[in-house]
Amino acid sequence: MGAAVERSGLAVVEELRERIRQLQAAPRRALSVLRTGVDAVDALLPQGGLPLGTSVELCGEAASGRTSLALRAVASAHRELRLCAWVDGPKELYPPAAAALGVDLERLLVVRPQLFAQRVWAAVQLARSGTFTAVVVDLTLGVGVPGRPERLALTEARKLADAAARGGTLVLLLTSPEAPADGLARLRLEARGVQGWSVELERSRGGGVGTRVVSPWSALYPEVGLDAGARLLDADAEAPGDAGPGFYRDPADRVRNGLGILGQRPGRDAPMPSLGSALSQSQSQSHDGR
């Protein structure tokens, strides 16, 4: 029985190796940068995109667009028939959302280490191998996790930068403002409600530091149809006409409105309250209003 299991495991490994060889042998053109498809963001970097062989940090709060921007870079690599890896520390990568942004799930290796140090170790090995065009490392805590995120040590940041250079890989570090990392470049992302989102180049060896662009959400999520004239609904609507016919909800109805998400997009990075908490708050408000 044990021998049969071992042979089965070896067959899976050999099949994976053959699959990787086939993907690597596919016709490809030389790449020096990965473009996100958001022209304003790509133009911030001196290379016109995210440069391979370097470490780049995407720093922002939850729902700032940092994960989506990384997914668009991965999708860019997949369009060139390349392989990518995602070190999913908080275990929150949602495959359907990734596929909606153009990610080829068959070309994406997802690693989910338990400990922070294991995330860094895994990322170093993946980047150094040279097999993956991009390695995304999510160093955030995740939604609803108490405490402060662990900050990447300078020695660990140097290991990642060295691995990226050795493997010719783009290492994308997803961090929060409470625990920034040290990459070759740092892009600071912020949500601006219905106005869109902003990206500032905070660090770069090629110049342009301090440059900021503000783009509508449709630049990051063109698939939702905003460019075709759809309305972006805001939870701050003050009158029935503000959100369009059929979409108005009483601002006091905090359960149905997600307890006042206030401009954040449900299903992204923001934590959602429990139903019991929502009901108790709603009932408390209704009693106060009597």
Side-chain angles (χ1 to χ4, degrees):
M1 182 67 177
V5 173
E6 183 178 355
R7 286 195 297 271
S8 176
L10 292 175
V12 171
V13 172
E14 185 56 37
E15 181 180 353
L16 180 59
R17 287 176 177 171
E18 178 60 27
R19 178 61 174 160
I20 291 176
R21 282 195 290 266
Q22 292 175 0
L23 291 172
Q24 290 179 328
R28 299 181 297 177
R29 66 184 181 89
L31 285 179
S32 58
V33 299
L34 286 182
R35 292 180 172 83
T36 65
V38 183
D39 294 339
V41 175
D42 293 334
L44 280 178
L45 295 163
Q47 300 87 351
L50 301 167
L52 273 63
T54 63
S55 172
V56 178
E57 180 185 359
L58 302 181
C59 183
E61 298 283 359
S64 63
R66 63 190 177 196
T67 301
S68 296
L69 194 63
L71 286 171
R72 292 184 71 93
V74 169
S76 176
H78 287 168
R79 285 193 292 271
E80 299 296 335
L81 306 179
R82 307 300 176 93
L83 300 176
C84 296
W86 194 289
V87 182
D88 186 18
K91 302 179 179 62
E92 290 185 346
L93 181 64
Y94 186 52
L101 288 175
V103 172
D104 183 351
L105 298 177
E106 292 189 355
R107 298 178 187 272
L108 181 65
L109 174 66
V110 179
V111 183
R112 287 177 167 168
Q114 296 293 328
L115 304 177
F116 183 88
Q118 293 173 340
R119 302 188 206 182
V120 179
W121 182 88
V124 168
Q125 306 310 313
L126 293 167
R128 187 178 292 167
S129 71
T131 303
F132 303 96
T133 297
V135 175
V136 181
V137 193
D138 194 335
L139 300 175
T140 63
L141 277 180
V143 174
V145 179
R148 293 178 61 86
E150 190 171 346
R151 185 168 183 174
L152 193 70
L154 181 59
T155 55
E156 294 172 323
R158 288 176 176 173
K159 286 181 181 179
L160 285 170
D162 178 71
R166 287 176 178 269
T169 302
L170 168 65
V171 174
L172 280 177
L173 307 174
L174 306 185
T175 66
S176 58
E178 298 86 359
D182 292 307
L184 174 66
R186 175 187 295 153
L187 295 174
R188 173 83 63 170
L189 288 78
E190 294 181 359
R192 297 292 185 91
V194 296
Q195 297 178 357
W197 58 301
S198 70
V199 183
E200 179 183 357
L201 182 60
E202 283 196 344
R203 175 185 294 165
S204 174
R205 294 181 183 176
V209 175
T211 307
R212 180 195 299 267
V213 296
V214 179
S215 299
W217 289 116
S218 58
L220 188 60
Y221 305 106
E223 295 81 2
V224 301
L226 294 175
D227 289 331
R231 298 284 303 274
L232 178 62
L233 303 183
D234 184 9
D236 286 330
E238 297 179 356
D242 290 342
F247 289 98
Y248 176 75
R249 288 176 178 172
D250 186 348
D253 189 354
R254 294 173 59 82
V255 177
R256 297 180 64 195
N257 284 327
L259 268 79
I261 294 173
L262 300 181
Q264 297 185 28
R265 302 178 312 288
R268 294 290 307 137
D269 297 314
M272 295 292 290
S274 65
L275 179 59
S277 173
L279 290 173
S280 64
Q281 292 190 34
S282 177
Q283 292 171 356
S284 175
Q285 287 185 348
S286 63
H287 287 306
D288 293 341
R290 291 179 180 175

